[in-house]
């Protein structure tokens, strides 16, 4: 049995099928847009069955998990779904979520960065020392902290990409080195209080109290989604490739509208729309665009699939790797500023404890593969919602911190196991 393979110049050649039995049993991937357009509701069912068989359910398990978590904790404590608790969850998850965005870039390469916790602590210490101890303008101190985070990440990337040291070892060394550097910066006192009304202080304390802000953001998100989907469909139709029917776009937009405006109502019942959440959503939109719509993003996915193939395709592997680790350091610094804002101080415990585990867990639980090549920055939002929701739900029930660690660790282990099984299923289905 033979199959047609394309050569680099576009010609086709007959190539033997290595495993004809596996090829016979492989699940043929059909563009869901084509299925829905031709079969309507039946197309949704057919595509869902194909994805289930191929182990490719995307974010569906995480969404179902969030619903189950909410239902369980709400049944145990009626305050779980209160406007105050949900608003607090939204603000608390931003720091970890920002750091998880950077980790997702690294995971897409199939690598890991263990230093993000310590780097986040360094950024908070830099802002505190420069703005409080030395009287520097807080905006300038903030920019120095962010630049320092990116520089630290670039240094890690250099040792990994240029020198060839394993990323695990490099960032583990970074974890220890930058932890010591942070302690050195903070000095003997170990704690520097920040101005709660300053730039950093208001990152997690400022709310847009006008009800129009939350509703306006919801309307903007819905309109942006519809317009983006509609224009993308027009481009696909013009190119002669499968596109979604208008009814499908309208349905998806309606679902988003319900979620967005329900969130707006909830925020307006408490203090209003949190600035922290607005900034987090803006970062997710921008980074998702970078990954999915730019040549740089495609290079990252290509490296996660095969480094050698990417090198032969002309991709500057070293430059991309260094830049990805620089991004991880930058977002670690951003997360560190949000943590410093939440406690209105920089102290020796910053970046310690379960922070690193939660950051990695947020990325993986949200749907990013540990094996590289699969994931989106929106996974950070879903994953961190799971983690923080569990933490707040257990705290409402008065569950001790050790038990919280055990439960979160169990959730992470289950996610990694599912990711491994999914990868094997996709290989069996001929999709890896």
């Amino acid at each position: 049995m033979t199959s047609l393979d394309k050569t680099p110049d576009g010609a086709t050649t007959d190539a033997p099928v290595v495993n004809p039995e596996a090829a016979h049993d492989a699940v043929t991937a059909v563009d869901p847009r084509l299925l829905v357009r031709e079969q309507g509701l039946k197309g949704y069912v057919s595509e869902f069955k194909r994805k289930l068989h191929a182990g490719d359910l995307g974010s569906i398990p995480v969404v179902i998990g969030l619903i189950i978590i909410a239902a369980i904790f709400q049944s145990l404590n009626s305050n779980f779904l209160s406007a105050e608790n949900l608003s607090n969850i939204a603000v608390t998850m931003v720091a970890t979520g920002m750091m998880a965005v950077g980790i997702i870039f690294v995971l897409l390469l199939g690598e890991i960065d263990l230093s993000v916790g310590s780097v986040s602590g360094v950024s908070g210490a830099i802002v505190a020392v420069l703005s409080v101890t030395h009287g520097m303008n807080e905006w300038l101190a903030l920019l120095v902290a962010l630049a320092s985070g990116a520089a630290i990440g670039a240094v890690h990337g250099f040792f990994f990409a240029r020198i060839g040291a394993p990323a695990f070892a490099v960032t583990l060394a970074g974890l220890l080195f930058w932890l010591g550097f942070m302690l050195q910066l903070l000095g003997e006192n170990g704690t520097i209080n920040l101005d709660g009304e300053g730039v950093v202080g208001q990152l997690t304390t400022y709310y847009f109290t006008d009800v129009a802000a939350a509703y306006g953001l919801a309307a903007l998100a819905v309109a942006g989604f519809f317009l983006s989907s509609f224009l993308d469909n027009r481009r696909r139709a013009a190119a002669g490739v499968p596109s979604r029917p208008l009814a499908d776009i309208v349905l998806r937009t309606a679902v988003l509208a319900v979620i967005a405006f329900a969130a707006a109502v909830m925020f307006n019942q408490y203090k209003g729309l949190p600035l922290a959440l607005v900034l987090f959503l803006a970062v997710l939109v921008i980074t998702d665009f970078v990954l999915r719509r730019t040549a740089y993003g495609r290079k990252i996915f290509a490296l996660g699939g095969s480094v050698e193939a990417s090198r032969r395709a002309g991709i500057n592997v070293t430059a991309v790797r260094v830049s990805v680790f620089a991004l991880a350091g930058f977002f670690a610094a951003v997360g560190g500023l949000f943590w410093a804002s939440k406690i209105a101080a920089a102290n020796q415990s910053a970046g310690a404890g379960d922070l690193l585990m939660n950051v990695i867990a947020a990325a993986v639980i949200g749907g990013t593969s540990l094996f590289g090549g699969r994931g989106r920055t929106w996974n950070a939002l879903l994953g961190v919602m799971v983690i923080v929701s569990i933490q707040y739900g257990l705290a409402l029930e008065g569950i001790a911190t050790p038990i919280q660690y055990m439960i979160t660790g169990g959730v992470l282990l289950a996610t990694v196991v599912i990711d491994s099984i999914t990868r094997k299923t996709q290989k069996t289905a001929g999709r890896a």
Side-chain angles (χ1 to χ4, degrees):
M1 184 180 294
T2 62
S3 63
L4 292 179
D5 282 355
K6 285 191 176 181
T7 61
D9 60 0
T12 57
T13 59
D14 285 340
V17 176
V18 177
N19 190 342
E21 291 78 10
H24 180 268
D25 295 335
V27 180
T28 303
V30 181
D31 195 305
R33 301 173 183 85
L34 188 60
L35 276 175
V36 173
R37 188 178 67 190
E38 294 182 350
Q39 303 178 17
L41 180 61
K42 184 180 178 181
Y44 278 113
V45 177
S46 299
E47 177 63 7
F48 178 79
K49 289 180 179 179
R50 183 194 68 80
K51 287 186 174 183
L52 182 64
H53 186 74
D56 182 22
L57 291 179
S59 300
I60 294 178
V62 187
V63 174
I64 294 175
L66 277 171
I67 294 174
I68 294 174
I69 290 171
I72 291 175
F73 285 123
Q74 179 65 15
S75 66
L76 295 174
N77 192 314
S78 60
N79 289 324
F80 182 78
L81 292 180
S82 66
E84 179 181 358
N85 192 59
L86 292 179
S87 181
N88 289 336
I89 288 176
V91 173
T92 300
M93 71 182 188
V94 171
T96 303
M98 287 287 194
M99 298 170 68
V101 170
I103 280 291
I104 286 173
F105 276 83
V106 177
L107 290 178
L108 287 175
L109 295 180
E111 302 297 338
I112 194 68
D113 188 343
L114 301 178
S115 68
V116 291
S118 296
V119 175
S120 70
V122 168
S123 72
I126 288 176
V127 166
V129 170
L130 292 180
S131 63
V132 178
T133 306
H134 297 289
M136 179 182 287
N137 177 273
E138 194 172 5
W139 277 105
L140 182 57
L142 185 147
L143 293 176
V144 171
L146 295 179
S148 298
I152 290 171
V155 170
H156 295 162
F158 172 81
F159 281 105
F160 163 60
R162 177 65 69 179
I163 306 301
F168 178 90
V170 171
T171 56
L172 179 60
L175 181 155
L176 298 173
F177 180 88
W178 299 115
L179 175 61
F181 183 72
M182 177 193 70
L183 298 177
Q184 184 68 28
L185 281 179
L186 293 176
E188 295 181 359
N189 186 34
T191 299
I192 301 177
N193 294 324
L194 297 171
D195 180 10
E197 298 299 320
V199 177
V200 175
Q202 291 195 352
L203 286 177
T204 57
T205 60
Y206 185 83
Y207 292 78
F208 297 97
T209 55
D210 192 331
V211 295
Y215 291 128
L217 180 61
L220 180 64
V222 173
F225 176 81
F226 177 80
L227 186 62
S228 174
S229 301
F230 181 75
L231 294 178
D232 184 58
N233 250 28
R234 288 187 59 180
R235 286 192 295 269
R236 295 182 66 87
V241 296
S243 57
R244 298 187 186 279
L246 181 60
D248 181 51
I249 297 177
V250 172
L251 177 60
R252 290 168 177 265
T253 304
V255 172
L256 176 62
V258 170
I259 297 173
F261 281 97
V265 171
M266 181 272 297
F267 286 126
N268 284 331
Q269 287 179 350
Y270 185 50
K271 293 182 179 180
L273 180 65
L275 171 63
L277 183 63
V278 175
L279 295 175
F280 185 34
L281 293 177
V283 164
L284 292 176
V285 171
I286 294 171
T287 52
D288 183 68
F289 177 83
V290 169
L291 281 178
R292 297 175 60 238
R293 301 290 185 180
T294 67
Y296 176 70
R298 289 190 288 272
K299 290 176 181 178
I300 293 175
F301 280 108
L303 279 176
S306 173
V307 175
E308 186 57 33
S310 300
R311 183 178 287 109
R312 294 185 178 185
I315 295 175
N316 189 332
V317 174
T318 299
V320 173
R321 283 175 161 176
V322 171
S323 66
V324 165
F325 275 87
L327 281 174
F330 174 81
F331 282 111
V334 174
L337 296 179
F338 277 92
W339 278 121
S341 173
K342 186 147 185 73
I343 63 175
N347 60 32
Q348 295 178 339
S349 63
D354 61 344
L355 179 59
L356 174 62
M357 182 199 73
N358 286 340
V359 171
I360 297 175
V364 177
I365 290 173
T368 303
S369 176
L370 282 169
F371 302 98
R374 190 183 81 237
R376 295 180 60 181
T377 52
W378 286 98
N379 296 149
L381 174 62
L382 293 173
V384 77
M385 285 177 65
V386 170
I387 291 175
V388 178
S389 295
I390 291 175
Q391 290 175 342
Y392 267 69
L394 294 175
L396 285 175
E397 293 303 302
I399 305 298
T401 300
I403 304 299
Q404 295 185 31
Y405 285 170
M406 294 166 65
I407 293 176
T408 305
V411 172
L412 175 58
L413 176 61
T415 304
V416 173
V417 170
I418 292 173
D419 183 36
S420 300
I421 294 175
T422 297
R423 186 175 176 84
K424 291 180 181 179
T425 304
Q426 290 177 340
K427 284 183 178 179
T428 303
R431 301 191 64 228

